[in-house]
Amino acid sequence: IIICKLYKPKNLAGAASNEACLFTNPEEELFVGESELCIDYDVSAETSLDASSTNWTEGVEMTPWRRIVVFKADKLEPLIRSIRDAFPPSAQATPAPGAAAAVAAAAPLM
C-alpha cells in the first residue's frame, strides 16, 4: 500500500480520470498502473494552498487529493525496476539552493 499526493483540476475534481491528475511524485503513477485497487479522496479541507504554491499549474485551479494504491507484493520488484528505468539518477534535476527547505515548509503534513 502506498499513499500518493496528487492534484486534480478543480472543475474535474470529482472525475475518476487519471489523465487530468498531476502527481507530486511522478514515479508514483507507475504504481497506479499495477494496482489492484485505488481510492481517491479530497484533502482540500485539511490542507492550505496559497497562490504562490500553485503557480506551476499555469492558471488552472487545482484541488489537492490523496490516492491510496494497493498492489500485490510480487509486483514490487518489477515496479522498482520500472522506476529506476524511467527515472535514472543522471536525469534527475539538481534542486536550487534552498528549494528543499521551501518545499518542505510549503508542504502540509497529513
Side-chain angles (χ1 to χ4, degrees):
I1 296 176
I2 64 168
I3 300 174
C4 306
K5 285 174 82 173
L6 57 111
Y7 294 87
K8 296 182 182 184
K10 201 167 198 166
N11 61 341
L12 298 175
S17 173
N18 286 330
E19 293 176 20
C21 293
L22 294 174
F23 285 80
T24 302
N25 299 308
E27 65 274 13
E28 292 174 346
E29 199 166 353
L30 297 173
F31 284 92
V32 173
E34 296 295 326
S35 67
E36 298 294 315
L37 173 69
C38 289
I39 302 169
D40 290 2
Y41 60 98
D42 184 349
V43 294
S44 59
E46 292 91 33
T47 60
S48 61
L49 291 175
D50 61 359
S52 64
S53 67
T54 58
N55 62 3
W56 49 268
T57 62
E58 298 181 10
V60 177
E61 269 192 87
M62 303 296 278
T63 303
W65 286 68
R66 298 295 180 267
R67 178 172 289 169
I68 299 171
V69 180
V70 179
F71 59 93
K72 292 185 178 182
D74 62 351
K75 293 188 177 187
L76 184 59
E77 281 299 319
L79 278 167
I80 291 171
R81 278 193 297 276
S82 295
I83 290 169
R84 286 183 180 148
D85 292 343
F87 302 95
S90 61
Q92 294 177 354
T94 305
V103 170
L109 296 174
M110 280 193 349

